[in-house]
């Protein structure tokens, strides 16, 4: 039986419980009427079911159709190609709630809770092509080596005026000054203050869910903001990014504007990234394996970078998943277009920030904010892992500006990225052959959907000239 202090501790917790019995008490104490049982699909969209709280704690079995995780971002089901195949009977996948993620939904008018779920098949085995399980598979590889990766994502996004007609370009919103926000506001406190009330709502919604923001800044783009999260375990941080995206969108909607995580939402403005800081600790000692005892860089540190350089171009489609993502990765803008690395060099794909030995880490600056956080983290960590176990050496670090010379050493578009992703045999092992085939098939389907749309560029330059 729980002691009074223990009862008070979990009932007062804003995020997570240890058992279904605790969940029942937690929900009752808050007068929760409904609970959203959600899971990220391959795009990172929350899918699931809403149910009465009493039914949730009554050992109810929840399921979703498998095809739900095989459709495009536009909701279409692509043709079977390559190794992409649908389940012949579109069988159910069971939702298994992760009780550590239980929290309130603070923007709902009625008392509502939410919980993130894993997916298993009817036999109880983890479904290998679902995002949370892909990341868990990669983390198991680290576990087998006695390692534990630590990550800290930084997520950029734009606030834009409401846009109900997709044929019209997005525009910056009106701030509290009554004027449309302009670019060139990097780290401007005044730029942040333009949206004081919205940002207050982001903080309040986050606090109510037990989500901790480290810092918030204004980026260089017009009404472009960035949220930095505290470092921690990859699953926990992927969950937080997943929840933060919902939170920020809801806070913006409350103020009658949109928040978008598109990689390149506004022509001529910087793109939005999801930079990932990564280090690895020895589970036995708790020490950072990127540093030797004397504080110097370890060989594992160099091997991790070597793996990033060797494999990230092939894994780019997991970090830049849409046609729009590659509009961000163009030279002359703030995003890297290379697989170079350097010390405190923001023009490289892989930056090593200035730190002491215990904080030595590698920042992957390639992922865009439109990426599914589970898949982006899985891809980045898998590439570093392959370098560590394979003893790969990086090239020499650079202190040059390497993103403005017109050279792009990455896949230039979605189809090219899919092709190199499928061809990398190492990924069939670290991610599973099933995931590689499924993900590639969906991305090919999304490209075909994109090709059905005629762009303004085509109407402007081809209409009367060809």
């Amino acid at each position: 039986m729980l002691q009074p202090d223990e009862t008070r501790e979990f009932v007062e917790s804003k995020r997570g419980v240890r058992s279904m019995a605790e969940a029942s008490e937690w929900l009752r104490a808050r007068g929760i009427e409904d609970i959203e049982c959600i899971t990220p699909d391959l795009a990172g969209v929350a899918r699931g079911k809403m149910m009465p709280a009493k039914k949730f704690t009554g050992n109810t079995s929840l399921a979703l159709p498998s095809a739900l995780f095989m459709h495009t971002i536009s909701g279409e089901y692509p043709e079977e190609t390559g190794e992409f195949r649908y389940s012949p009977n579109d069988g159910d996948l069971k939702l298994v709630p992760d009780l550590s993620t239980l929290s309130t939904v603070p923007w709902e008018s009625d008392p509502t809770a939410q919980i993130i779920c894993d997916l298993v098949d009817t036999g109880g085995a983890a479904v290998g092509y679902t995002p949370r399980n892909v990341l868990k598979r990669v983390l198991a590889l680290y576990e087998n080596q006695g390692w534990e990766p630590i990550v800290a994502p930084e997520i950029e996004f734009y606030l834009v005026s409401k846009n109900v007609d997709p044929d019209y370009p997005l525009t910056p919103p009106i701030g509290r000054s009554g004027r449309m926000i302009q670019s060139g506001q990097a780290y401007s406190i005044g730029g942040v203050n333009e949206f004081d009330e919205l940002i207050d709502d982001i903080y309040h919604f986050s606090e109510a869910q037990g989500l901790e923001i480290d810092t918030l800044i204004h980026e260089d783009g017009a009404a472009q903001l960035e949220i930095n999260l505290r470092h921690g375990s990859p699953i926990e941080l992927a969950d937080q990014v997943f929840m933060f995206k919902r939170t920020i969108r809801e806070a913006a909607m409350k103020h009658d504007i949109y928040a978008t995580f598109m990689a390149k939402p506004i022509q001529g403005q910087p793109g939005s990234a999801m930079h990932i800081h990564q280090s690895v600790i020895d589970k036995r000692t708790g020490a950072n394996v990127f540093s030797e005892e004397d504080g110097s860089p370890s060989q594992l540190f160099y091997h991790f970078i070597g793996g990033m350089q060797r494999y990230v171009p092939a894994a780019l489609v997991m970090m830049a998943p849409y046609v729009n993502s590659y509009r961000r990765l163009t030279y002359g803008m703030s995003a890297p277009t290379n697989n170079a690395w350097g010390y405190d060099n923001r023009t490289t794909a892989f930056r090593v920030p200035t730190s002491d030995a215990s904080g030595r880490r590698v920042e992957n600056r390639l992922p865009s904010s439109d990426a599914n956080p589970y898949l982006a983290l899985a891809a980045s960590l898998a590439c570093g892992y392959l370098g560590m176990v394979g003893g790969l050496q990086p090239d020499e670090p650079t202190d040059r500006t390497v993103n403005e010379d017109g050279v792009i050493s990455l896949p230039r578009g979605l189809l090219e990225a899919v092709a190199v992703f499928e061809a990398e045999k190492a990924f069939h092992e670290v991610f599973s052959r099933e995931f590689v085939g499924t993900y590639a098939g969906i991305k090919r389907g999304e490209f075909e959907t994109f090709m059905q749309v005629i762009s303004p560029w085509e109407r402007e330059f081809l209409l009367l000239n060809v």
Side-chain angles (χ1 to χ4, degrees):
M1 177 171 294
L2 292 169
Q3 299 300 313
D5 287 345
E6 293 179 301
T7 302
R8 188 178 305 111
E9 178 185 349
F10 82 78
V11 167
E12 293 178 356
S13 171
K14 293 179 180 177
R15 185 172 185 82
V17 294
R18 293 166 293 193
S19 68
M20 193 58 80
E22 287 189 0
S24 182
E25 289 294 323
W26 189 96
L27 294 166
R28 187 181 301 114
R30 287 161 175 75
I32 298 294
E33 299 173 1
D34 300 303
I35 184 164
E36 299 172 350
C37 299
I38 58 176
T39 193
D41 68 4
L42 287 177
V45 175
R47 307 285 179 180
K49 295 183 176 181
M50 179 176 279
M51 62 192 307
K54 290 181 179 178
K55 192 171 183 181
F56 172 77
T57 55
N59 199 28
T60 299
S61 179
L62 295 170
L64 295 173
S66 62
L68 190 60
F69 297 87
M70 295 184 175
H71 65 59
T72 65
I73 189 66
S74 57
E76 298 172 331
Y77 293 89
E79 296 292 327
E80 293 183 338
T81 55
E83 295 193 18
F84 173 55
R85 294 290 183 272
Y86 294 102
S87 168
N89 62 353
D90 191 16
D92 278 344
L93 305 179
K94 292 184 177 181
L95 290 165
V96 180
D98 182 341
L99 296 177
S100 70
T101 67
L102 180 64
S103 67
T104 61
V105 184
W107 50 83
E108 289 286 354
S109 55
D110 294 327
T112 305
Q114 61 191 335
I115 193 165
I116 300 174
C117 301
D118 285 313
L119 287 158
V120 300
D121 61 23
T122 53
V127 180
Y129 55 82
T130 57
R132 223 166 176 253
N133 288 335
V134 172
L135 178 53
K136 287 185 175 183
R137 181 185 178 99
V138 172
L139 298 181
L141 298 174
Y142 278 85
E143 175 81 22
N144 291 340
Q145 298 288 336
W147 300 327
E148 180 182 356
I150 303 296
V151 300
E154 303 170 348
I155 313 105
E156 297 171 346
F157 61 96
Y158 274 88
L159 300 174
V160 297
S161 298
K162 272 195 169 180
N163 178 286
V164 296
D165 189 337
D167 280 339
Y168 287 89
L170 299 173
T171 58
I174 303 297
R176 69 172 185 172
S177 65
R179 304 183 67 182
M180 184 178 290
I181 306 304
Q182 302 299 313
S183 59
Q185 299 286 327
Y187 293 93
S188 164
I189 297 301
V192 171
N193 290 343
E194 285 283 351
F195 304 101
D196 268 349
E197 292 185 4
L198 187 157
I199 290 169
D200 284 344
D201 281 334
I202 291 175
Y203 283 139
H204 296 153
F205 287 168
S206 298
E207 183 180 1
Q209 297 171 88
L211 303 174
E212 186 175 359
I213 296 173
D214 193 19
T215 58
L216 184 147
I217 65 167
H218 197 292
E219 266 292 352
D220 196 46
Q224 185 187 33
L225 304 179
E226 176 184 287
I227 283 180
N228 298 335
L229 306 183
R230 296 286 300 273
H231 63 270
S233 71
I235 285 289
E236 184 178 336
L237 268 298
D239 286 342
Q240 287 191 36
V241 175
F242 175 54
M243 300 308 298
F244 266 122
K245 283 188 172 184
R246 296 188 77 203
T247 299
I248 292 165
R249 287 193 190 99
E250 290 291 341
M253 289 285 282
K254 180 179 175 183
H255 293 267
D256 207 35
I257 60 177
Y258 290 158
T260 179
F261 295 88
M262 282 178 65
K264 187 77 167 180
I266 303 176
Q267 184 173 322
Q269 295 286 334
S272 290
M274 181 172 63
H275 300 151
I276 301 172
H277 291 254
Q278 308 156 101
S279 60
V280 180
I281 63 172
D282 184 312
K283 290 189 59 118
R284 183 179 58 84
T285 65
N288 186 342
V289 304
F290 287 172
S291 298
E292 300 288 3
E293 289 186 4
D294 64 3
S296 62
S298 69
Q299 281 302 305
L300 285 176
F301 167 73
Y302 293 115
H303 295 332
F304 187 94
I305 296 173
M308 299 287 283
Q309 288 192 302
R310 162 66 179 80
Y311 290 104
V312 161
L316 188 63
V317 72
M318 294 174 68
M319 308 175 200
Y322 303 105
V323 172
N324 180 262
S325 310
Y326 297 86
R327 300 190 191 282
R328 169 181 165 260
L329 300 174
T330 56
Y331 66 84
M333 298 300 288
S334 57
T337 60
N338 53 74
N339 67 339
W341 75 284
Y343 292 98
D344 202 21
N345 186 342
R346 284 185 168 83
T347 71
T348 61
F350 313 119
R351 168 180 171 255
V352 179
T354 302
S355 70
D356 58 21
S358 64
R360 182 170 279 118
R361 61 194 185 276
V362 179
E363 178 192 14
N364 182 356
R365 296 178 60 79
L366 284 174
S368 48
S369 60
D370 57 0
N372 181 320
Y374 301 91
L375 299 185
L377 285 170
S380 195
L381 292 172
C383 293
Y385 167 84
L386 288 169
M388 293 168 78
V389 298
L392 300 185
Q393 290 292 342
D395 61 15
E396 292 298 313
T398 180
D399 57 5
R400 297 186 303 109
T401 299
V402 288
N403 68 340
E404 295 182 350
D405 56 6
V407 176
I408 299 181
S409 50
L410 301 166
R412 291 293 289 120
L414 184 60
L415 278 189
E416 182 183 343
V418 169
V420 295
F421 173 68
E422 284 184 296
E424 181 50 69
K425 300 300 183 186
F427 291 169
H428 295 180
E429 179 61 31
V430 296
F431 302 129
S432 84
R433 194 179 194 93
E434 182 181 30
F435 168 73
V436 171
T438 300
Y439 192 70
I442 291 170
K443 292 299 146 186
R444 277 193 296 269
E446 288 176 346
F447 183 81
E448 292 305 320
T449 301
F450 169 79
M451 289 300 288
Q452 296 172 16
V453 179
I454 309 303
S455 70
W457 185 95
E458 292 163 276
R459 289 190 290 270
E460 181 175 353
F461 296 107
L462 304 182
L463 181 66
L464 300 177
N465 293 330
V466 297

